[in-house]
Amino acid sequence: MWWAIAKLPAEARKKVVHVITTDTLVESPIVSAWVAASHERMREATARQGMPFEPRMLYPETDQTFWVNLIGRGYPAPRPMFRWCTERMKIKPSNRFIREVVRASGEAILVLGTRKAESSRRSATMTRHEANRVRERLSPNSKLPNSLIFTPIEDWTNDDVWIYLMQVQNPWGYSNRDLMTLYAGASADNECPLVVDTSTPSCGNSRFGCWVCTMVERDRSMEAMIQNDEQKEWMQPLLDLRNELDDVEREKREGWREVRRMSGRVQLFNGEPIRGPYTRARREYWLRRLLQTQTELRRDGPAEVRDLALIRLEELREIRRIWRVDKHEFDDSLPRIYAEATGEPFPSAVETDNTLGADEYAVLAEICGDDATLVGLTATLLNTERQFRSMARRIGVYKALEDVLDRQGYAGDEDAVAEARAVEALRARSSHEQLSLLRAAAQAPADRDEVGS
């Protein structure tokens, strides 16, 4: 696109060409650094050559980032049947920006490097859209009105891409050979051959995504980078954390997730509850683990990662708000965890309303004993009532309290509730003892107080 527009006379280069990159904030640090440097070089070349390109880095909204959803709300690590990440972190930021361009200019053309050779699924999707084309390689955007999609290299193979990059100079002065080296380092054999026959592999088969991605069985690119380059060994803690997030067997064995879904419903499948969000203990563990990893990399890593932020302050503040307000965890544990994991005080004042805090939460936990469900229920009831205390008229307080009871299991399908709570409480007991107690729980009276007790 740069070389094509460069052929136009200067007076004909009237329209701004936005070069957009969506940073999910959990991109591979190596790739993220490469893209940032490329954007900076592009800005310099744009000014020097009088070109209309304008690099733009797009980000997800703070309340939609990976860590806010996983640590804050307790969303489990993404899986093929629950792929909550791509829409929030990639698609929405791009679509939001495109809509802004359309509002300002009336229309927009989105130039994409998508290719049919990427996958059979991508090929089928692109072929299906060809029927609606307005002209060659130009198709309507089915999701965004007044925008078109232009795919100039749709028929290129992986090797076509690398041959072009190696033979044609990068117009903004960034090294395409460095890019090839980056991809080669992410290949298992540390090579990036050009094709000589159909059996020759291409380095274009290596792919980069989020370093936390659990949509793949293994992050082979990061594994290869660590294995092939001693200077990349500092990434091992990132790989360890990613693999721990993806440990499904351990997740089931240790009960990392709540019995209840986000909505508060209990759903059973083959006699077992379909697990919901991460428990409070696991959410606090992930926060501590992430901050410890960040601290370790800043302390022991190379110079280029001394300021690495695996999670931003804005995200930490949003997680804190979700825990205190939405999840009613009024002991405000985030600043304490931050201080313990980093050795530094949390850079924000401790929020308190002088009514409920860490001391009260500790007393509540002591009274409720080992019943985490009862602790959560009582804390939510107390905090819900407290939120209505400052109102001149407390209209709606009873409805809010009833909603809490309904959502946390003291109403609805009492048999399912009783069985699911029994599964949670008796997980560590022998299978024979569990079976008899589960049957007893399922036959419990539907009286709210009895089921609760």
Side-chain angles (χ1 to χ4, degrees):
M1 293 302 298
W2 187 296
W3 287 123
I5 292 176
K7 294 179 181 178
L8 297 174
E11 62 272 14
R13 304 171 192 165
K14 299 178 181 179
K15 298 177 181 179
V16 175
V17 180
H18 301 282
V19 182
I20 64 174
T21 302
T22 304
D23 186 346
T24 63
L25 301 176
V26 283
E27 301 288 336
S28 166
I30 301 297
V31 177
S32 185
W34 191 93
V35 171
S38 182
H39 273 213
E40 184 58 34
R41 189 70 64 85
M42 190 181 295
R43 290 188 186 91
E44 296 170 358
T46 293
R48 188 170 59 251
Q49 299 179 30
M51 295 292 285
F53 291 90
E54 186 175 311
R56 289 289 190 99
M57 193 73 77
L58 309 180
Y59 302 96
E61 297 284 358
T62 299
D63 68 341
Q64 294 299 320
T65 65
F66 183 84
W67 295 120
V68 167
N69 278 299
L70 188 137
I71 297 177
R73 297 186 175 92
Y75 282 19
R79 299 282 184 264
M81 297 300 292
F82 187 41
R83 187 173 181 169
W84 53 264
C85 49
T86 306
E87 176 74 19
R88 291 170 170 82
M89 294 155 46
K90 276 283 191 183
I91 298 175
K92 284 186 177 181
S94 298
N95 286 354
R96 184 171 62 247
F97 180 79
I98 295 168
R99 289 190 185 97
E100 292 173 359
V101 173
V102 170
R103 279 196 295 268
S105 305
E107 64 179 355
I109 297 177
L110 187 63
V111 183
L112 299 179
T114 51
R115 298 175 294 109
K116 295 178 180 178
E118 292 181 60
S119 68
S120 57
R121 183 177 180 181
R122 176 62 56 85
S123 177
T125 300
M126 295 179 70
T127 301
R128 187 170 65 251
H129 289 162
E130 288 179 2
N132 299 320
R133 285 186 167 173
V134 297
R135 59 178 172 180
E136 187 180 6
R137 303 181 192 276
L138 193 64
S139 307
N141 190 334
S142 59
K143 297 182 180 179
L144 295 172
N146 289 9
S147 65
L148 299 167
I149 295 177
F150 180 47
T151 52
I153 62 170
E154 61 182 25
D155 294 322
W156 286 26
T157 65
N158 293 345
D159 299 297
D160 291 334
V161 173
W162 289 112
I163 291 171
Y164 180 86
L165 290 176
M166 292 302 102
Q167 292 182 349
V168 180
Q169 180 184 358
N170 183 299
W172 57 92
Y174 212 49
S175 174
N176 288 342
R177 293 195 177 275
D178 287 348
L179 180 65
M180 193 175 197
T181 300
L182 181 65
Y183 271 82
S187 302
D189 54 7
N190 198 23
E191 295 182 357
C192 217
L194 296 179
V195 141
V196 294
D197 57 43
T198 56
S199 64
T200 306
S202 167
C203 68
N205 289 328
S206 57
R207 301 181 68 95
F208 293 103
C210 302
W211 67 266
V212 294
C213 184
T214 52
M215 294 297 298
V216 292
E217 184 178 347
R218 290 167 56 191
D219 190 335
R220 300 181 187 277
S221 293
M222 186 152 56
E223 289 177 357
M225 292 175 76
I226 295 170
Q227 178 181 349
N228 296 334
D229 189 347
E230 290 183 358
Q231 296 182 352
K232 302 293 192 302
E233 290 181 355
W234 63 266
M235 297 179 67
Q236 186 63 50
L238 298 181
L239 183 61
D240 292 341
L241 178 52
R242 180 260 167 213
N243 290 341
E244 189 172 355
L245 281 168
D246 197 31
D247 194 341
V248 178
E249 292 303 317
R250 185 181 171 195
E251 176 183 294
K252 294 178 180 178
R253 185 173 65 251
E254 298 183 5
W256 291 357
R257 292 164 58 185
E258 301 277 3
V259 169
R260 301 187 174 282
R261 310 296 293 275
M262 281 285 193
S263 63
R265 294 181 59 197
V266 175
Q267 291 178 289
L268 300 179
F269 181 75
N270 290 338
E272 291 289 327
I274 301 175
R275 295 285 176 169
Y278 288 125
T279 64
R280 171 177 175 160
R282 182 48 49 168
R283 286 186 280 110
E284 291 183 343
Y285 171 84
W286 289 134
L287 175 63
R288 188 185 305 276
R289 182 85 167 76
L290 177 65
L291 292 172
Q292 287 173 341
T293 301
Q294 176 178 278
T295 302
E296 177 185 349
L297 292 177
R298 289 179 173 181
R299 183 186 65 239
D300 303 330
E304 60 265 27
V305 299
R306 293 296 165 83
D307 296 323
L308 180 65
L310 298 182
I311 184 170
R312 299 179 304 164
L313 181 59
E314 293 85 353
E315 295 176 90
L316 289 167
R317 287 172 175 159
E318 178 62 14
I319 290 170
R320 184 186 188 187
R321 186 201 67 78
I322 291 172
W323 285 6
R324 294 184 75 253
V325 178
D326 297 349
K327 293 188 175 295
H328 305 281
E329 294 163 1
F330 51 76
D331 57 327
D332 197 17
S333 62
L334 188 144
R336 171 180 55 79
I337 295 172
Y338 183 92
E340 293 171 354
T342 66
E344 301 174 358
F346 184 63
S348 184
V350 175
E351 300 177 13
T352 178
D353 53 16
N354 296 320
T355 56
L356 297 174
D359 291 342
E360 288 74 18
Y361 207 96
V363 171
L364 177 62
E366 182 180 350
I367 293 172
C368 296
D370 296 330
D371 193 338
T373 302
L374 185 57
V375 174
L377 171 68
T378 311
T380 303
L381 289 170
L382 286 169
N383 209 38
T384 300
E385 194 279 334
R386 181 194 59 78
Q387 291 173 354
F388 280 87
R389 183 170 297 178
S390 60
M391 298 181 181
R393 299 181 64 193
R394 289 159 51 88
I395 296 177
V397 62
Y398 293 122
K399 177 64 167 60
L401 293 173
E402 286 189 2
D403 288 344
V404 172
L405 291 171
D406 288 347
R407 190 170 59 252
Q408 301 223 9
Y410 288 82
D413 187 344
E414 312 299 334
D415 290 347
V417 170
E419 185 168 356
R421 291 193 68 202
V423 169
E424 177 73 4
L426 305 174
R427 187 172 53 246
R429 299 190 182 183
S430 68
S431 58
H432 176 76
E433 187 179 1
Q434 276 196 34
L435 183 59
S436 60
L437 290 170
L438 280 173
R439 287 172 176 167
Q443 297 172 0
D447 179 74
R448 177 176 297 186
D449 292 333
E450 290 194 47
V451 172
S453 63

